[in-house]
Amino acid sequence: MLFHVRMDVLLPVDMPQDVANDIKAREKAYFQQLQREGKWRHIWRVVGEYSNFSIFDVAGNTELHDLLSSLPLFPYMRIAVTPLCRHPSSLHEDDR
C-alpha cells in the first residue's frame, strides 16, 4: 500500500546540540535503510520548514505505524498520513 506522509519535526529549543545531532544521524541511517528496502520511496523537503512529504510503500497500516514509531525523531514529530491508491488514468505501472 502507498501512503502519503507529512512529517513536521519539532525539536525542543533547549535540546543540547550534541543530542540533536545524534538523533538526526540515527534518523538519517534508518531512513536510508528504509529507502534501500523500497519502503520509503520518496521524500521531499517543505521549503522554509523542518518538514517533509514522503511516500511509503508498505504492506499496510500496521507496518507503516511500526516504521514511523521507530524513527529516532518520532517523539518530536507531528505526523499526518493519507492512504493512496492508483489512479486509473496513471501511465506509471508501478503506482500500486
Side-chain angles (χ1 to χ4, degrees), residues 33-95:
Q33 172 192 331
L34 293 174
Q35 276 198 310
R36 284 189 286 278
E37 294 172 3
K39 295 176 186 287
W40 198 323
R41 287 185 51 184
H42 302 282
I43 185 169
W44 294 273
R45 178 177 290 168
V46 178
V47 176
E49 299 180 28
Y50 194 175
S51 304
N52 73 73
F53 288 117
S54 293
I55 302 294
F56 286 81
D57 189 356
V58 294
N61 296 332
T62 301
E63 183 179 10
L64 180 64
H65 176 80
D66 292 345
L67 292 177
L68 293 175
S69 62
S70 296
L71 290 168
L73 284 170
F74 179 77
Y76 310 103
M77 288 182 168
R78 182 176 55 234
I79 298 174
V81 176
T82 304
L84 302 171
C85 63
R86 187 176 189 280
H87 193 284
S89 298
S90 175
L91 297 176
H92 302 284
E93 293 300 321
D94 66 341
D95 289 345

Side-chain angles (χ1 to χ4, degrees), residues 5-56:
V5 180
R6 179 181 173 127
M7 291 177 254
D8 300 308
V9 180
L10 308 161
L11 292 176
V13 294
D14 59 346
M15 178 180 280
Q17 192 61 49
D18 60 326
V19 173
N21 289 343
D22 175 66
I23 294 170
K24 291 175 191 179
R26 290 186 290 117
E27 180 87 6
K28 183 177 181 179
Y30 182 55
F31 154 70
Q32 290 178 337
Q33 172 192 331
L34 293 174
Q35 276 198 310
R36 284 189 286 278
E37 294 172 3
K39 295 176 186 287
W40 198 323
R41 287 185 51 184
H42 302 282
I43 185 169
W44 294 273
R45 178 177 290 168
V46 178
V47 176
E49 299 180 28
Y50 194 175
S51 304
N52 73 73
F53 288 117
S54 293
I55 302 294
F56 286 81

